[in-house]
Amino acid sequence: MKPSIWRYVKTPKLMKLMKSLDGAQEITSAYVDEAIERLEKEAKEGVVRPESEQSVLEKLLKIDKKVATVMAMDMLMAGVDTTSSTFTAALLCLAKNPEKQAILREEVMKVLPEKDSEFTEASMKNVPYLRACIKESQRIYPLVIGNGRFLNRDSVLSGYQVPAGTCVSMVPLSLLSSEEHFPKAAEFLPERWIRNATDSNGQCPANDLKLKIPFVFLPFGFGPRMCVGKRIVDMELELGIARLIRNFSIEFNHPTENAFRVPP
Ligand code: HEM
């Protein structure tokens, strides 16, 4: 937002940033190289996996090694702390709201009756409260502040003419805690994401807590450039949280006012 001194002088902060980026690149490329080596060794040994069991990396390698490597590194850089922070936020919300945790456990017990019950595709379609808990924790502890896009055509936004090529930042962060969009915004209420059951007259009563404008809540962005990892994240969070809640009672007995903060 300010004139960028770092373009002309290598400031200590720039050096620190570059060092961190180099570190992230080294770690991710080491993992990707290791996976490529393993796949190449398996190919030499004649191991053939059906398409459905091949990894994204394995499929991309057949098209272009460089693209495959960069994609796999991107996925590690974009996918590790994002998922773990979101996972932690969901657990924190459940720990702080034991009555909601109990409702969730009741739902999970139905799909995982035994301690070691297997997840099935069908069972995971039947967990609306789990999905609602995850969404509600993403509202309370949002990972991203919003999205950005370069306009590809001249547009009118809120009455302003904005020319093509302009970078537009959409930052709905404060709306996520506004009463206007989320009644009882300070409370962890997964119920706001649940469609009300149909009553005996076949009517579905309105859920007063429900969000009216879906674009206010886009934790994974929207459109062709939305998060490519969303489905992986959904699966990781749903399976991980269901398993934990099934087998453990989650508590967190420490202060949580600044549970997440951006380091200075
Ligand atoms: C809870 C976890 C995550 C959240 C909340 C999240 C959120 C986001 C958001 C908001 C965007 C920008 C979307 C837009 O501008 O419309 C994005 C992009 C992206 N995400 Fe994620 N992400 C998560 C996990 C992951 C994972 C696990 C992966 C990889 C396996 C991943 C890979 C990517 C990539 C590659 C992009 C760039 C897509 C593009 O520009 O076309 N993310 N993510």
Side-chain angles (χ1 to χ4, degrees):
M1 302 299 160
K2 297 178 192 162
S4 309
I5 306 170
W6 58 263
R7 283 176 193 268
Y8 310 100
V9 185
K10 287 194 171 54
T11 57
K13 283 224 163 109
L14 176 76
M15 301 296 280
K16 195 174 163 193
L17 174 68
M18 290 303 148
K19 202 167 164 239
S20 303
L21 290 175
D22 283 346
Q25 186 168 341
E26 259 169 48
I27 294 171
T28 50
S29 65
Y31 279 113
V32 175
D33 287 346
E34 195 184 295
I36 291 177
E37 252 174 53
R38 195 182 58 240
L39 290 169
E40 285 175 347
K41 189 167 161 256
E42 282 178 2
K44 268 189 208 136
E45 289 164 359
V47 178
V48 183
R49 255 187 294 272
E51 172 107 353
S52 60
E53 281 174 28
Q54 290 173 14
S55 68
V56 177
L57 178 64
E58 197 170 351
K59 286 183 192 165
L60 282 176
L61 272 177
K62 287 182 204 136
I63 303 168
D64 184 325
K65 188 168 174 180
K66 192 168 166 203
V67 171
T69 310
V70 174
M71 267 302 286
M73 285 168 67
D74 258 3
M75 284 166 88
L76 287 174
M77 287 190 207
V80 175
D81 64 326
T82 45
T83 312
S84 48
S85 302
T86 306
F87 200 102
T88 313
L91 290 184
L92 181 58
C93 288
L94 289 165
K96 289 277 150 198
N97 295 276
E99 67 297 344
K100 307 291 179 198
Q101 188 180 145
I103 301 175
L104 175 60
R105 184 166 297 107
E106 202 176 306
E107 178 183 89
V108 172
M109 285 293 192
K110 286 187 197 142
V111 292
L112 299 177
E114 303 302 325
K115 192 166 170 283
D116 304 315
S117 301
E118 289 286 332
F119 289 105
T120 64
E121 210 183 324
S123 66
M124 290 320 283
K125 280 195 180 129
N126 248 336
V127 282
Y129 201 76
L130 172 60
R131 289 183 179 166
C133 285
I134 294 172
K135 273 190 171 176
E136 182 68 344
S137 67
Q138 286 184 302
R139 179 187 74 81
I140 301 225
Y141 293 119
L143 185 88
V144 291
I145 59 165
N147 306 305
R149 290 289 186 275
F150 285 94
L151 294 183
N152 58 6
R153 56 186 145 99
D154 296 345
S155 307
V156 176
L157 300 174
S158 307
Y160 291 93
Q161 290 186 359
V162 188
T166 309
C167 178
V168 178
S169 300
M170 295 154 280
V171 183
L173 196 61
S174 59
L175 303 185
L176 297 183
S177 50
S178 84
E179 287 290 320
E180 186 192 341
H181 296 285
F182 298 98
K184 302 188 191 169
E187 292 175 44
F188 176 74
L189 293 173
E191 289 71 15
R192 70 174 88 247
W193 302 103
I194 301 265
R195 205 176 298 156
N196 280 4
T198 316
D199 63 19
S200 51
N201 301 324
Q203 300 291 315
C204 185
N207 180 347
D208 295 338
L209 294 169
K210 202 166 186 261
L211 176 63
K212 311 270 178 322
I213 306 171
F215 278 80
V216 169
F217 180 76
L218 295 175
F220 296 98
F222 187 77
R225 297 302 297 269
M226 76 177 292
C227 178
V228 293
K230 182 181 182 304
R231 280 160 192 266
I232 302 177
V233 177
D234 284 347
M235 195 181 67
E236 283 183 331
L237 293 179
E238 286 169 20
L239 299 190
I241 292 171
R243 185 67 82 198
L244 275 179
I245 294 293
R246 163 68 184 75
N247 294 332
F248 300 94
S249 168
I250 310 291
E251 289 179 20
F252 187 75
N253 302 312
H254 305 277
T256 52
E257 295 80 57
N258 290 318
F260 294 92
R261 73 184 173 90
V262 178

